[in-house]
Amino acid sequence: MKKFILIAAVFIIFASVYLLWGNNSLSVGEYTVSPQNLPQSFDGYRILQISDLHNKSFGGRLIKKIRSFAPDIIVITGDIIDSYHTKPDAALNFAEATAEIAPVYYVTGNHESRLEIYPEFRKSLENLGVTVLDCKGVTLEKDGGEIFLAGMEELTFFGGTVLNEKTVGFTENLNALADEKGERTGILLSHRPEIFDLYVESGFELVFTGHAHGGQIRLPFVGGILTPNQGFFPEYDAGMFRKGNTTMIISRGLGNSIFPFRIGNRPEIVICDLVKEK
């Protein structure tokens, strides 16, 4: 009996340490993408992506890590705040710190869409210097070259009572942004990865998404177990996907929401370097 208790105690300690490490140690996903029509002046341009923070604080380690990568821009792809445990100050403190490092561009996630305080929260973000791209685009210029950066508002912000109805409005706005992009290299920020085909049809060359939390629990050789809106063993859980001329990068995110733990799925910062095709 004593031996069993000792083994159980050792297991509990090991599991607790593993969960603590796995939910608080930062990992980095590094990608290199060569989108079509990339101007020579944007060769080596570095984009740092943050997604699904859900109010989580890393005690200054996250900001220090972001600064160390010296990004040209920082993009946030939704759920910076959590609708179940709403702490706007934590999200705003993070936004303020990142805006001191590089220009920050932000799109909403499904958690923002559930918040009554979102209009006020958005205004606070803008006052801190964050650019909110809710179905809007901006031209990024560098040494005479231009690329087009656009952002889609979270799908659940759109009118309609069912998902298909919301997708209609989403698609119309996405296509309008694609028209504005023209022949320029287009980078799109959008929360959801499961609508990859819509991004491909729009013609954007590079898309940053989140939402899937990497499947929350990840198994070797299997990948993510369960994601919102895709169910078990999702197709789009994390990493880089290509179809046609479109590349989609899915961040595993940094925080948790309803399910409080990550297993085999450390919090992730994404670094993407743009490289001009030779």
Side-chain angles (χ1 to χ4, degrees):
M1 185 66 176
K2 289 183 178 180
K3 185 176 181 180
F4 173 79
I5 293 173
L6 178 62
I7 292 172
V10 169
F11 175 79
I12 291 171
I13 292 170
F14 173 81
S16 298
V17 170
Y18 175 76
L19 284 175
L20 185 65
W21 173 80
N23 283 266
N24 293 282
S25 63
L26 294 167
S27 66
V28 180
E30 298 185 68
Y31 303 93
T32 299
V33 178
S34 298
Q36 285 188 330
N37 302 324
L38 185 72
Q40 185 63 48
S41 58
F42 279 87
D43 186 38
Y45 196 79
R46 172 162 286 185
I47 301 171
L48 186 146
Q49 180 194 12
I50 296 294
S51 197
D52 300 272
L53 187 63
H54 290 283
N55 300 327
K56 188 171 177 64
S57 172
F58 290 84
R61 290 182 294 117
L62 177 57
I63 296 300
K64 184 177 180 180
K65 194 82 169 175
I66 291 171
R67 185 177 288 109
S68 72
F69 286 110
D72 290 287
I73 61 172
I74 297 167
V75 299
I76 302 175
T77 50
D79 288 359
I80 190 177
I81 194 169
D82 191 271
S83 61
Y84 300 111
H85 309 284
T86 306
K87 299 177 182 178
D89 287 348
L92 292 173
N93 289 340
F94 171 78
E96 182 177 21
T98 53
E100 294 175 355
I101 298 171
V104 178
Y105 299 90
Y106 162 85
V107 294
T108 49
N110 55 298
H111 278 255
E112 285 92 340
S113 74
R114 291 197 287 259
L115 291 176
E116 291 184 4
I117 66 164
Y118 174 69
E120 179 184 345
F121 179 73
R122 171 190 167 144
K123 185 175 181 180
S124 296
L125 286 175
E126 292 175 328
N127 288 339
L128 292 171
V130 174
T131 301
V132 179
L133 296 176
D134 51 351
C135 303
K136 295 177 182 176
V138 295
T139 298
L140 303 181
E141 300 179 356
K142 184 178 181 183
D143 299 332
E146 291 185 358
I147 61 176
F148 185 68
L149 174 67
M152 282 302 301
E153 200 166 30
E154 154 61 17
L155 185 63
T156 46
F157 274 103
F158 288 85
T161 57
V162 295
L163 193 60
N164 285 345
E165 292 176 353
K166 294 178 184 298
T167 303
V168 172
F170 183 96
T171 303
E172 289 174 350
N173 281 270
L174 177 59
N175 290 338
L177 286 173
D179 290 341
E180 187 178 350
K181 174 184 91 70
E183 297 301 316
R184 294 175 291 177
T185 295
I187 299 172
L188 179 69
L189 312 181
S190 188
H191 188 57
R192 294 176 181 246
E194 70 270 16
I195 50 177
F196 184 31
D197 286 343
L198 293 182
Y199 307 142
V200 174
E201 291 168 7
S202 74
F204 276 89
E205 285 82 6
L206 176 58
V207 185
F208 290 93
T209 65
H211 188 52
H213 287 216
Q216 203 70 45
I217 298 172
R218 295 185 66 81
L219 299 178
F221 311 110
V222 175
I225 298 300
L226 177 66
T227 66
N229 306 108
Q230 293 185 73
F232 287 99
F233 306 109
E235 181 177 3
Y236 302 119
D237 57 349
M240 185 162 66
F241 297 81
R242 290 192 178 96
K243 186 180 291 188
N245 293 322
T246 301
T247 297
M248 178 173 69
I249 294 175
I250 309 171
S251 167
R252 297 199 312 272
L254 287 153
N256 302 315
S257 186
I258 297 175
F259 189 79
F261 301 115
R262 291 168 170 260
I263 300 174
N265 181 24
R266 292 163 61 199
E268 181 184 48
I269 301 169
V270 168
I271 295 292
C272 179
D273 291 324
L274 304 184
V275 176
K276 175 75 172 175
E277 288 184 332
K278 304 302 181 185

